[in-house]
């Protein structure tokens, strides 16, 4: 819309003044003009027609300009209808008061055509820009909301797909905006389950897209490797494959901390590679302990990186817990972190149940209880894998 | 975030103070980019007064290191406190960066 199509309401109790303003505005190119001879009529017009701009005289009988301005402000219409006060040059205090009340500008009487053109033009342009920004923001928010839903739909919550020997559960509570956490699990072949958990540096759309890329590469990479090589890949090989892909065109230096592992029934082992992620927590008998090795650098940092495989026994009745740092670093209202000690204790507390879902639910409930009313800053993601007792 | 530049043993030393998290990271990112763009591609980042570093903070350091490498310069990190060092270790970044116990050590090293 060009600013000349703007609907302008001229309010002045002196007919001559209205006529002059009308003529000047028409000469400047504005054609969508209305007039009101007093404050009451002006307010009535604003409420029913929502003009883009009101040129409002201060001194008027019945209802003066300040009262009209206050009423427009009270009706919360100042964003839609800009107000420019018309005042004698001597009324400085009144002008200041009107600007405080939300008037955009003022026009001194008598009217100077150049000042009139400049002020009205700038007020209308500002208004157009603001409306445009608002429209863009609304669009962006809508798109972000859709992106977030898509992202959540990308991680699977169908836990009955890992075969009878395993029991898996995972949960993700995203922070407000789209984030970069991911988890995945699937049965690669009978008796072998892949699990993965990761966290992309940063937040927002770039992190979410990077996460989506990683998530697709992970599954496809494992299956393709197996088909081409005729054997299961080692976790370090999966990691290297992802790293090569994600290092390409990564100018913004996004990276992904990732833990990928395979649990094998035949070997009674869990083999994993850890690219900068928190160590896995092993649940065995009565205890929970973090299996700490020096981590390799995250995925996407440096091409040609060599990753290391680690392993621990993973027999019938054993379990393991993977989390993102959003869990351990979750802060309560006082800023205190959830912390590793409480995290390990909460892992142990669920052990007697033996079910992945119960361990995961209890853990997540404990973190959520810790956070309380504090705003979650980071995504909270966890994955629990158990070998069913034979 | 406060960022101070000085010279030590004729080497440029950049010291960020405070928390390097998502709200502050862009400040340091701009500062380091400007430094590299103006041709200062050999410098030490003094982390002695850095209280906290998040993953986005790590990616700022990484991004600077990549740019410096392309410009055939050299960047070193010095004087990491316990907490920042732990983050570097857990995240595996300790293997990526050139890390020195002190600014002195970083500036005299060849």
């Amino acid at each position: 819309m060009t600013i000349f199509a703007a609907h302008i309401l001229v309010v002045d109790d002196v007919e001559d003044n209205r006529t002059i303003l009308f003529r000047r505005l028409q000469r400047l190119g504005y054609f969508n003009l209305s007039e009101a001879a007093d404050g009451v009529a002006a307010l009535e017009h604003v409420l029913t027609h929502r003009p883009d701009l009101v040129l409002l005289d201060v001194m008027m009988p019945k209802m003066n300009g300040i009262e009209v301005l206050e009423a427009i402000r009270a009706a919360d219409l100042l964003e839609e209808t800009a107000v420019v006060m018309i005042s004698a040059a001597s009324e400085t205090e009144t002008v200041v008061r009107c600007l405080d009340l939300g008037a955009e500008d003022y026009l001194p009487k008598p009217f100077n055509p150049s000042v009139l053109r400049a002020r009205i033009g700038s007020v209308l342009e500002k208004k157009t820009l603001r409306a445009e920004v608002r429209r863009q923001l609304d669009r962006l928010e809508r798109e972000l909301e859709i992106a977030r839903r898509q992202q959540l739909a990308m991680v699977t919550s169908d836990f009955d797909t890992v075969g009878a020997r395993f029991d898996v559960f995972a949960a993700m509570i995203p922070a407000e905006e789209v984030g970069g956490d991911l988890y995945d699990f699937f049965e690669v072949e009978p008796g072998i389950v892949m699990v993965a958990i990761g966290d992309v540096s940063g937040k927002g759309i770039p992190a979410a897209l990077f996460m989506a890329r990683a998530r697709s590469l992970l599954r496809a990479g494992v299956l393709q490797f197996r088909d081409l090589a005729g054997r299961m890949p080692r976790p370090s090989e999966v990691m290297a494959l992802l790293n090569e892909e994600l290092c390409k065109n990564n100018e913004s230096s996004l990276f992904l901390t990732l833990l990928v592992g395979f649990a094998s029934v035949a070997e009674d082992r869990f083999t994993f590679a850890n690219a900068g992620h928190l160590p896995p927590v092993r649940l065995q008998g009565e205890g929970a302990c973090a299996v700490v090795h020096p981590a390799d650098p995250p995925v996407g940092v440096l091409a040609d990186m060599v990753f290391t495989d680690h392993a621990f026994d993973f027999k019938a009745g054993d379990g393991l817990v993977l989390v993102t740092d959003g869990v351990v670093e979750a802060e309560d209202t006082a800023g205190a972190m959830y912390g590793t000690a409480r995290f390990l204790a909460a892992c142990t507390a669920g052990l007697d149940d033996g079910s992945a879902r119960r361990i995961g639910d209890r853990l997540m409930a404990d973190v959520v209880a810790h956070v309380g009313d504090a705003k979650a800053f980071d995504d909270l993601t966890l994955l629990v894998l158990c070998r069913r007792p034979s | 975030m406060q960022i101070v530049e000085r010279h030590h043993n004729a080497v440029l030393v950049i010291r960020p103070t405070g928390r390097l998290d998502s709200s502050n990271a862009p400040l340091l990112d701009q500062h380091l980019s400007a430094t590299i763009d103006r041709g200062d591609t050999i410098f030490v980042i003094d982390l002695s007064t850095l209280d906290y570093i998040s993953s986005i903070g790590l990616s700022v350091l990484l991004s600077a290191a990549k740019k410096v490498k392309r410009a055939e310069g050299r960047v070193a990190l010095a004087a990491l406190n316990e907490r920042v060092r732990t983050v570097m270790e857990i995240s595996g970044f300790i293997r990526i960066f050139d890390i020195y116990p002190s600014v002195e050590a970083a500036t005299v090293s060849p």
Side-chain angles (χ1 to χ4, degrees):
Chain A
M1 187 184 92
T2 130
I3 59 166
F4 297 109
H7 178 190
I8 302 176
L9 172 66
V10 174
V11 187
D12 202 312
D13 56 328
V14 181
E15 196 183 347
D16 281 353
N17 285 345
R18 294 201 302 273
T19 312
I20 294 172
L21 259 179
F22 249 66
R23 211 181 298 138
R24 295 233 161 112
L25 287 170
Q26 281 166 340
R27 218 174 289 157
L28 288 172
Y30 298 98
F31 54 86
N32 191 358
L33 308 174
S34 307
E35 60 184 309
D38 61 67
V40 176
L43 188 59
E44 171 84 28
H45 188 97
V46 168
L47 294 177
T48 48
H49 293 91
R50 310 280 168 93
D52 297 296
L53 172 64
V54 182
L55 299 179
L56 186 59
D57 186 26
V58 176
M59 301 294 284
M60 289 183 297
K62 284 206 258 186
M63 190 179 194
N64 70 29
I66 296 176
E67 290 167 318
V68 175
L69 175 62
E70 279 174 336
I72 296 177
R73 177 191 159 109
D76 202 17
L77 288 175
L78 281 176
E79 194 166 328
E80 206 170 335
T81 298
V83 176
V84 170
M85 304 306 292
I86 303 169
S87 70
S90 56
E91 297 173 293
T92 320
E93 266 178 46
T94 314
V95 165
V96 169
R97 178 149 176 240
C98 289
L99 292 177
D100 284 343
L101 280 170
E104 281 286 332
D105 209 338
Y106 75 99
L107 279 170
K109 276 197 272 197
F111 305 114
N112 172 313
S114 302
V115 172
L116 183 72
R117 185 179 63 230
R119 299 245 164 118
I120 290 180
S122 96
V123 166
L124 287 174
E125 268 165 26
K126 245 197 290 184
K127 194 168 171 294
T128 312
L129 279 176
R130 265 205 301 263
E132 183 57 30
V133 168
R134 160 78 39 212
R135 257 199 305 283
Q136 295 282 4
L137 266 179
D138 287 347
R139 187 176 63 89
L140 203 60
E141 271 170 22
R142 267 199 313 279
E143 286 183 1
L144 274 173
E145 180 54 35
I146 295 169
R148 199 169 88 110
R149 281 205 300 272
Q150 296 240 351
Q151 196 189 16
L152 285 176
M154 211 183 290
V155 291
T156 172
S157 51
D158 187 357
F159 302 120
D160 297 326
T161 53
V162 290
R165 318 291 287 274
F166 291 102
D167 176 21
V168 73
F169 176 76
M172 177 153 119
I173 303 181
E176 258 172 44
E177 45 186 327
V178 286
D181 274 16
L182 73 92
Y183 70 77
D184 199 11
F185 56 84
F186 75 106
E187 185 181 47
V188 188
E189 56 185 57
I192 298 182
V193 167
M194 187 213 77
V195 291
I197 190 161
D199 184 358
V200 176
S201 59
K203 284 196 178 53
I205 304 280
L209 286 175
F210 200 78
M211 171 269 183
R213 229 172 120 199
R215 158 70 179 66
S216 328
L217 279 168
L218 185 60
R219 234 178 225 234
V222 169
L223 292 173
Q224 251 177 23
F225 188 105
R226 190 167 154 273
D227 286 349
L228 289 174
R231 65 168 173 90
M232 282 290 298
R234 286 191 292 276
S236 59
E237 290 171 322
V238 177
M239 209 65 103
L241 202 143
L242 243 74
N243 188 47
E244 292 319 302
E245 277 306 313
L246 292 173
C247 278
K248 286 177 192 161
N249 306 319
N250 185 12
E251 275 309 300
S252 47
S253 293
L254 285 170
F255 60 81
L256 168 71
T257 70
L258 182 68
L259 191 148
V260 177
F262 296 107
S264 160
V265 172
E267 294 176 2
D268 279 336
R269 300 277 280 171
F270 180 72
T271 316
F272 68 99
N274 183 1
H277 202 80
L278 289 175
V281 170
R282 185 179 172 193
L283 308 177
Q284 199 181 26
E286 301 289 289
C289 72
V291 182
V292 184
H293 298 281
D296 295 322
V299 167
V301 169
L302 264 189
D304 305 318
M305 181 77 68
V306 176
F307 295 89
T308 325
D309 287 307
H310 307 280
F312 54 80
D313 285 349
F314 194 61
K315 299 186 169 134
D318 291 351
L320 65 90
V321 180
L322 307 175
V323 294
T324 53
D325 56 8
V327 170
V328 184
E329 291 177 8
E331 291 183 358
D332 63 11
T333 44
M337 282 193 190
Y338 183 64
T340 310
R342 185 163 168 187
F343 164 57
L344 286 176
C347 288
T348 323
L351 267 182
D352 46 339
D353 293 320
S355 133
R357 177 180 289 274
R358 264 186 234 131
I359 295 170
D361 276 344
R362 278 195 189 184
L363 191 51
M364 200 55 117
D366 196 46
V367 181
V368 169
H370 171 78
V371 171
D373 291 331
K375 194 168 151 283
F377 176 71
D378 206 352
D379 299 348
L380 304 175
T381 306
L382 64 82
L383 185 149
V384 184
L385 178 72
C386 296
R387 279 280 307 275
R388 289 189 196 278
S390 49
Chain B
M1 162 139 294
Q2 202 195 345
I3 304 167
V4 182
E5 285 193 8
R6 70 194 156 104
H7 281 84
H8 189 87
N9 293 338
V11 178
L12 176 63
V13 177
I14 298 170
R15 191 184 68 202
T17 299
R19 292 170 62 86
L20 189 51
D21 53 20
S22 52
S23 53
N24 283 326
L27 290 175
L28 184 64
D29 192 30
Q30 278 159 22
H31 190 105
L32 295 177
S33 297
T35 306
I36 297 163
D37 287 346
R38 73 172 186 236
D40 279 331
T41 55
I42 296 177
F43 55 89
V44 172
I45 305 177
D46 174 3
L47 298 180
S48 59
T49 51
L50 194 74
D51 303 323
Y52 171 83
I53 187 163
S54 75
S55 66
I56 197 123
L58 287 170
S59 79
V60 166
L61 298 182
L62 174 64
S63 172
K66 281 185 177 176
K67 281 181 202 148
V68 164
K69 198 178 167 196
R70 263 204 302 275
E72 295 178 353
R74 175 179 164 258
V75 60
L77 307 183
L80 287 63
N81 71 22
E82 195 60 33
R83 193 167 173 189
V84 171
R85 196 179 174 83
T86 307
V87 171
M88 292 272 179
E89 273 165 9
I90 291 176
S91 63
F93 270 99
I94 207 107
R95 263 174 59 188
I96 301 287
F97 293 116
D98 208 5
I99 294 176
Y100 294 85
S102 65
V103 171
E104 179 66 26
T107 49
V108 294
S109 134

